[in-house]
Amino acid sequence: MIVLKLINMSKIVAIVSSPRAKGQGNAIVEKMIEAAKANGNEVETFYINKLENLTGCQACMGCKKKGKCIRKDSLTPVLDAVAEADGLILSAADYFGQPCAQYRTFEDRLYGFVGPDFQPTITPKKVAIVVTAGSGAGAENMVNSMSNIMANFFKSEIVGQLIYTEATNGAFADNAEFQAKAEEIANKL
């Protein structure tokens, strides 16, 4: 008798928005991707800082008629992937207690998934949020704000939050405790 184990594969989209290509946020997201793939999930990664032709929300309100952003630029395939995803890994660097500009551009364009009745036009996602910071002074407020947007506007389930401060914790690659936390969160996606 052959026994087949069914895997509940999910599509996960990872958003890396830090301007530092080899920064701590990228290392954390890579660890989470590794864990998610080990669980049989499909993962697609987008590096927002590498996109060349993107703009923020223009408040044109075309999305309220179409159910998604009508702008066509290099953020369009990212938003299309987000709409189709079951889970998201959202990573942003803390700049003065606010997400870096790259993340804010991405996040503002998510407005296209909010209908005219302020209900989401996409299915809820499982969301993991990663915030990296030098000192971490504003990181907790920032991670809570990012979580609130995803939970309140998109009815998503926040499966974990990870705040990583390099000044306190050193390099992520050398921190087994935080590597285990990243894997634990990724296993919930």
Side-chain angles (χ1 to χ4, degrees):
M1 176 200 286
I2 298 174
V3 177
L4 297 174
K5 180 181 177 185
L6 297 176
I7 298 175
N8 187 14
M9 186 173 96
S10 295
K11 180 177 179 186
I12 298 169
V13 170
I15 302 295
V16 180
S17 62
S18 174
R20 293 174 61 199
K22 298 292 181 187
Q24 302 300 329
N26 191 44
I28 294 166
V29 171
E30 285 177 4
K31 180 58 105 175
M32 295 174 97
I33 289 169
E34 181 183 300
K37 285 183 176 179
N39 288 327
N41 297 304
E42 174 189 339
V43 182
E44 186 172 11
T45 307
F46 294 97
Y47 298 89
I48 302 300
N49 198 51
K50 291 183 180 180
L51 301 178
E52 291 186 10
N53 176 30
L54 72 152
T55 58
C57 176
Q58 300 298 299
C60 69
M61 306 309 265
C63 59
K64 303 309 166 231
K65 294 176 186 158
K66 297 287 185 183
K68 68 178 191 173
C69 183
I70 62 169
R71 296 197 58 77
K72 301 293 181 217
D73 61 11
S74 29
L75 204 50
T76 302
V78 178
L79 296 171
D80 290 344
V82 166
E84 297 299 318
D86 302 302
L88 302 173
I89 300 170
L90 303 177
S91 171
D94 173 0
Y95 280 32
F96 301 107
Q98 299 292 317
C100 58
Q102 293 82 346
Y103 183 80
R104 287 290 300 136
T105 300
F106 162 76
E107 187 178 65
D108 282 353
R109 291 280 293 279
L110 292 177
Y111 182 64
F113 297 131
V114 176
D117 58 356
F118 279 89
Q119 294 302 307
T121 61
I122 56 174
T123 59
K125 318 288 178 203
K126 289 186 176 184
V127 180
I129 297 179
V130 175
V131 169
T132 55
S135 70
E140 189 170 337
N141 287 338
M142 184 177 131
V143 79
N144 288 335
S145 175
M146 291 168 67
S147 295
N148 287 338
I149 288 168
M150 295 311 297
N152 294 332
F153 283 99
F154 303 105
K155 312 301 184 219
S156 293
E157 174 190 355
I158 308 305
V159 298
Q161 301 171 327
L162 194 148
I163 297 172
Y164 196 84
T165 54
E166 192 170 359
T168 306
N169 300 303
F172 177 77
D174 299 329
N175 193 314
E177 177 187 350
F178 272 90
Q179 288 181 28
K181 284 182 184 181
E183 287 180 15
E184 179 185 329
I185 292 170
N187 288 335
K188 296 176 184 177
L189 288 170

